[in-house]
Amino acid sequence: MPTKMNALRQGFIRCHDCGYLVKTIAQISSCPRCRSHLHARRPHSIARTTALLLSSFFMYIPANIFPIMTVNQFGTGDTHTIAGGIIELIDGGMLPIGLLVFVASILVPSLKLIGIALLLLIVYFRWPINSRRWTSIYRIIAFIGRWSMLDIFMISILVDLVDFNGVQIIAGPAAIAFSAVVILTMFAAENFDPRLLWDNQ
Amino acid sequence: MNSINFNACPECDLLISIAHPKIGEKHHCPRCNLLLLRPRKRSIERTFALSIAGFILFFPANFLPLVSITLLGNANTGILMSGVIALLTKNMWPVAIVVFLASILFPLIQISLSLLISGHLYFNRPNRYLVNWMRWMHHLDEWVMLEVYMLSIIVACVKLMAISPLTFGWGLYAFIGLIIITTLLISNLDIPFFWQKIERLTQDINHAD
Ligand SMILES: [Zn+2]
Ligand SMILES: [Zn+2]
């Protein structure tokens, strides 16, 4: 279906918040139904998504280098990074859990960073793509992001429960950096407007 | 062209004439396949009932013990809030805030908003803030992470069970109930229908002015 089928080309703007359709020639700035600001596309979608994506790339480095968790046992500290924690789980015979944490903490965030970067490049350089396929990829990226919080929630549970005289679990600086990666990539996905994938085709 | 007869797809901007699928049917965007309409039976009544149930369950899920662990003769009990406090006291306040928002505050706000909205619609009470509540609920959706938290509890328990015995508290059962209720709530919430209802109700206020 050609671009001329787009609502914007036909003179309509869809309200982001409630879905109400407004005629462009009416030249009104807020939605008559829900009073939210009207924009044909998400404002500054590419600039904001790029800024958020670059910040998350930047936070991704400390998130993987610094320790995320320290287990103190009778005076000896056992510190590990995200990857180290997964290796420990697998070595300890907990393969399924290790794989789950691997997917949530390593696979999902890195695929998300690459995926959003590709979406931006496609729009920026107007690469000819299969819009339908890339809209599905966008939907997967937007959906899976929240599941990366798995490790962070787990740390909050472990830090709370394992707090005894002699045995303690402490969160490391990577926990802050990793939470920032998850949140920034969620904001990046939210600011990307998938309709841009259809506008230039 | 009259805008009343048309709809636009939120993800590909295709202009579509308004469909009227029957209850139980699904209407997808013909171009990008996004699910556009999925009318529900008695959506307002069900959302209202589920919001009340969710609101009630929220409190035991938050204040009763989730899990207890015994190690070296001492016992520790965890509730939702104690994880946040443990992070706060150990210099991890940015993480504590994130956990607090995603697992406690945002779920509470979401349930309260859906209770307020469906309650007003159920009793046909117009309110000028209805549109704001709907917008907030829409933006809050992806930041409510109860089901992710549940998976974290499972993973943490499997890890801890290797070290020492665990006991599960009533808070955990309430928490599981809360997740089931919020999942049902979201699947019964017919957002386009709610907006139409609100539009009609607010028109009544404007006429009364
Ligand atoms: Zn609107
Ligand atoms: Zn579409």
Side-chain angles (χ1 to χ4, degrees):
Chain A
M1 261 172 267
T3 328
K4 67 172 191 285
M5 302 299 287
N6 284 1
L8 185 60
R9 290 281 184 92
Q10 306 273 329
F12 292 104
I13 291 179
R14 181 187 186 275
C15 169
H16 279 303
D17 283 354
C18 77
Y20 196 80
L21 217 54
V22 180
K23 280 184 184 168
T24 340
I25 43 163
Q27 289 199 320
I28 42 176
S29 62
S30 58
C31 172
R33 182 157 76 176
C34 77
R35 302 194 292 266
S36 99
H37 257 278
L38 286 173
H39 304 280
R41 296 291 176 263
R42 271 177 217 280
H44 314 292
S45 174
I46 296 303
R48 284 185 192 174
T49 311
T50 310
L52 288 162
L53 184 70
L54 289 177
S55 327
S56 31
F57 266 121
F58 185 71
M59 295 307 274
Y60 191 65
I61 300 161
N64 283 286
I65 291 176
F66 288 119
I68 194 154
M69 212 163 75
T70 303
V71 184
N72 283 328
Q73 276 185 55
F74 308 107
T76 51
D78 184 8
T79 296
H80 33 205
T81 56
I82 293 179
I86 296 165
I87 292 166
E88 186 135 314
L89 277 174
I90 294 171
D91 284 348
M94 288 186 252
L95 185 68
I97 296 284
L99 286 178
L100 189 67
V101 180
F102 171 75
V103 171
S105 303
I106 293 185
L107 204 60
V108 167
S110 26
L111 287 180
K112 247 189 107 170
L113 289 171
I114 297 168
I116 297 172
L118 282 174
L119 287 169
L120 285 170
L121 291 170
I122 286 168
V123 175
Y124 196 79
F125 292 108
R126 304 189 173 208
W127 287 345
I129 42 131
N130 180 338
S131 302
R132 194 183 162 105
R133 180 180 305 145
W134 281 92
T135 307
S136 315
I137 292 172
Y138 165 77
R139 252 170 238 160
I140 295 167
I141 289 172
F143 171 78
I144 54 170
R146 56 217 302 282
W147 289 94
S148 295
M149 287 301 285
L150 176 78
D151 221 13
I152 298 297
F153 291 148
M154 194 177 69
I155 287 167
S156 90
I157 297 166
L158 292 179
V159 166
D160 176 34
L161 284 177
V162 186
D163 186 6
F164 299 96
N165 270 332
V167 183
Q168 269 185 326
I169 290 180
I170 295 166
I176 298 175
F178 188 73
S179 318
V181 172
V182 179
I183 290 164
L184 288 167
T185 49
M186 281 177 75
F187 274 120
E190 206 183 73
N191 272 283
F192 182 81
D193 194 329
R195 289 171 294 188
L196 298 173
L197 296 169
W198 296 86
D199 284 344
N200 298 323
Q201 298 302 312
Chain B
M1 268 191 271
N2 194 333
S3 61
I4 301 300
N5 303 322
F6 288 96
N7 230 328
C9 171
E11 296 198 354
C12 77
D13 208 32
L14 180 71
L15 194 66
I16 313 160
S17 40
I18 285 191
H20 298 283
K22 291 192 196 77
I23 282 171
E25 282 178 0
K26 288 176 175 174
H27 172 55
H28 291 266
C29 170
R31 188 161 71 171
C32 75
N33 204 32
L34 181 73
L35 179 61
L36 294 173
L37 292 172
R38 181 208 49 177
R40 291 293 180 189
K41 207 164 135 189
R42 303 166 68 83
S43 179
I44 292 171
E45 290 87 341
R46 285 185 183 181
T47 308
F48 187 44
L50 288 165
S51 307
I52 295 170
F55 193 77
I56 294 168
L57 270 176
F58 180 84
F59 296 95
N62 271 273
F63 296 109
L64 294 180
L66 294 173
V67 193
S68 299
I69 179 173
T70 313
L71 198 70
L72 314 165
N74 293 308
N76 260 354
T77 300
I79 60 170
L80 269 172
M81 196 62 198
S82 63
V84 175
I85 293 166
L87 287 170
L88 263 183
T89 53
K90 286 167 187 165
N91 275 329
M92 280 284 144
W93 61 267
V95 187
I97 291 170
V98 172
V99 175
F100 174 68
L101 293 179
S103 68
I104 299 175
L105 189 64
F106 289 163
L108 177 63
I109 297 176
Q110 193 192 38
I111 292 170
S112 311
L113 287 173
S114 86
L115 184 63
L116 273 171
I117 296 164
S118 55
H120 275 81
L121 295 185
Y122 183 74
F123 294 110
N124 279 307
R125 287 274 176 90
N127 186 314
R128 67 184 310 268
Y129 294 108
L130 270 171
V131 293
N132 300 55
W133 297 334
M134 280 295 281
R135 284 167 53 194
W136 295 338
M137 198 163 74
H138 168 69
H139 289 293
L140 212 58
D141 218 29
E142 65 172 329
W143 301 97
V144 173
M145 304 191 194
L146 291 179
E147 70 283 29
V148 184
Y149 199 95
M150 187 65 227
L151 190 61
S152 304
I153 295 177
I154 296 170
V155 175
C157 286
V158 172
K159 275 178 117 173
L160 291 174
M161 268 192 277
I163 316 168
S164 77
L166 301 175
T167 35
F168 302 109
W170 282 105
L172 187 65
Y173 305 119
F175 190 74
I176 295 169
L178 182 61
I179 292 170
I180 295 170
I181 296 282
T182 45
T183 312
L184 286 173
L185 195 145
I186 287 169
S187 77
N188 276 286
L189 187 66
D190 183 349
I191 289 167
F193 174 67
F194 270 49
W195 275 116
Q196 284 168 15
K197 267 287 223 185
I198 289 171
E199 195 181 359
R200 253 174 270 147
L201 273 178
T202 34
Q203 269 166 1
D204 293 345
I205 324 184
N206 295 340
H207 286 304
D209 280 347

